[in-house]
Amino acid sequence: MKVERLNKKELEEFCESLGIEIKNKKKQELVEAYYEHERSIIDEAIASGTCLELLKSKIGDLADEYAQNLNEKITARKEEMKGDDNSHYLIYRVLGISNDEGVLIDEYQNTGRFLYKYAGSFLEEAASMCLFFANSKGGKVLVENTQGKKPKTFEIDFLNGNDAIELKWRDATTDGDHITKEHTRVKAIESHGYKPIRVMFYYPQREQAIKIQETLKTIYSGVNGEYYSEDAAWDYLQKTSGYNLKEILTEIAERRDREDNGDK
């Protein structure tokens, strides 16, 4: 769970459920208290030799949480769509798409947005968890934008020593402005003395998006940074953290497949 996205009341309730003292603590102090709590649990697991089991358990719980939230979002959107104005189906029919096909297309287009959002957030959070288990002193950091006025700060997904790691499940943007924004971000991070490292697990498949990623590779190279994608990204994470996230996720996926098929 990304505790940073909780409001103060939610964060207080969550911390209390973990036995963390919340009295007179500001939100940032509660976030820090949570991570200190997590560090102590990891330290205990390291000492007892059960770190991998703990990591698998936490990623499994995270997957269950995301799956439940995703299902609730999709169910609610499908119900909401039953009351939609479908007069635009006239244009679909003009273009050779039947009403039934139009319903399916709109449904998948709406629910697909949730799937992509949740898939990306889950994978990035699971990858951060692997890094946190390897270096519980590292984590998310904000740095000042030294290259311009907007935005005021840039977020580093995980600062691992001097390595400013950006985690992406996939970047399929075709927006040319993305290059300028990323160049500014990378230069700002470099100016703070960190090495920018981009780790993207799935590569885009469309030509324009691929061109943008090729340009981003050049940008990272220009600041002595590193860029990893696809298999190289999974390998980098395993080498850096010591944990094989892809193997852990494959185990979870196969378990869900068995459950869906009624197997044990």
Side-chain angles (χ1 to χ4, degrees):
M1 174 186 289
K2 290 183 178 179
V3 294
E4 292 85 356
R5 67 189 172 200
L6 300 177
N7 62 43
K8 189 171 186 292
K9 184 178 180 181
E10 292 171 333
L11 185 55
E12 286 177 337
E13 292 174 353
F14 179 62
C15 286
E16 273 196 313
S17 72
L18 298 175
I20 298 172
E21 176 59 49
I22 68 169
K23 189 176 180 180
N24 298 325
K25 282 188 171 69
K26 297 178 181 179
K27 181 177 178 179
Q28 184 56 39
E29 291 173 327
L30 290 170
V31 170
E32 292 171 359
Y34 165 74
Y35 282 115
E36 186 60 36
H37 172 77
E38 288 297 291
R39 289 185 187 103
S40 67
I41 293 175
I42 293 171
D43 289 343
E44 290 176 7
I46 291 173
S48 63
T50 59
C51 212
L52 178 58
E53 289 79 3
L54 178 62
L55 176 63
K56 286 184 175 182
S57 175
K58 283 186 171 292
I59 291 178
D61 290 343
L62 184 69
D64 290 342
E65 177 189 339
Y66 268 88
Q68 179 180 338
N69 291 340
L70 174 60
N71 182 64
E72 289 174 357
K73 284 285 188 180
I74 289 176
T75 299
R77 177 53 60 87
K78 286 181 177 180
E79 188 63 31
E80 181 185 342
M81 289 179 68
K82 291 179 180 178
D84 284 358
D85 174 9
N86 295 326
S87 58
H88 61 286
Y89 283 15
L90 168 63
I91 310 303
Y92 288 1
R93 287 162 49 214
V94 169
L95 297 176
I97 303 298
S98 70
N99 280 342
D100 288 343
E101 289 176 307
V103 169
L104 290 175
I105 289 170
D106 280 5
E107 186 175 282
Y108 282 123
Q109 191 263 348
N110 273 266
T111 58
R113 292 176 181 175
F114 292 128
L115 176 58
Y116 294 147
K117 176 183 176 181
Y118 277 72
S121 294
F122 165 72
L123 180 52
E124 290 159 17
E125 191 167 346
S128 290
M129 194 178 291
C130 290
L131 292 167
F132 188 73
F133 265 63
N135 176 16
S136 63
K137 301 300 182 184
K140 194 178 297 294
V141 172
L142 290 177
V143 295
E144 181 186 357
N145 179 4
T146 57
Q147 307 298 304
K149 295 183 178 180
K150 293 185 179 181
K152 290 184 178 180
T153 60
F154 288 109
E155 184 177 84
I156 297 172
D157 289 332
F158 197 94
L159 184 61
N160 187 41
N162 200 52
D163 293 341
I165 302 173
E166 180 188 21
L167 298 164
K168 289 285 187 183
W169 92 289
R170 181 174 64 181
D171 186 353
T173 183
T174 57
D175 181 7
D177 289 342
H178 183 62
I179 295 173
T180 302
K181 294 175 183 176
E182 187 65 9
H183 183 259
T184 302
R185 192 188 75 85
V186 168
K187 290 291 291 182
I189 289 172
E190 181 200 26
S191 72
H192 288 277
Y194 301 131
K195 175 190 283 190
I197 299 177
R198 184 177 178 88
V199 180
M200 186 172 69
F201 298 98
Y202 295 99
Y203 210 67
Q205 301 181 54
R206 301 294 171 253
E207 183 179 356
Q208 183 59 31
I210 290 173
K211 287 181 179 179
I212 287 178
Q213 291 306 311
E214 293 300 317
T215 302
L216 293 183
K217 287 181 184 179
T218 302
I219 290 173
Y220 274 79
S221 176
V223 294
N224 295 316
E226 299 173 11
Y227 180 110
Y228 301 95
S229 62
E230 299 180 287
D231 288 345
W234 295 102
D235 291 343
Y236 172 83
L237 180 64
Q238 183 174 357
K239 180 180 179 182
T240 303
S241 71
Y243 298 105
N244 189 336
L245 177 59
K246 192 172 187 179
E247 184 177 278
I248 294 172
L249 298 182
T250 299
E251 290 177 3
I252 295 173
E254 290 177 345
R255 173 173 58 80
R256 292 209 191 282
D257 290 342
R258 291 193 298 272
E259 291 172 351
D260 291 341
N261 292 328
D263 300 329
K264 293 184 179 181

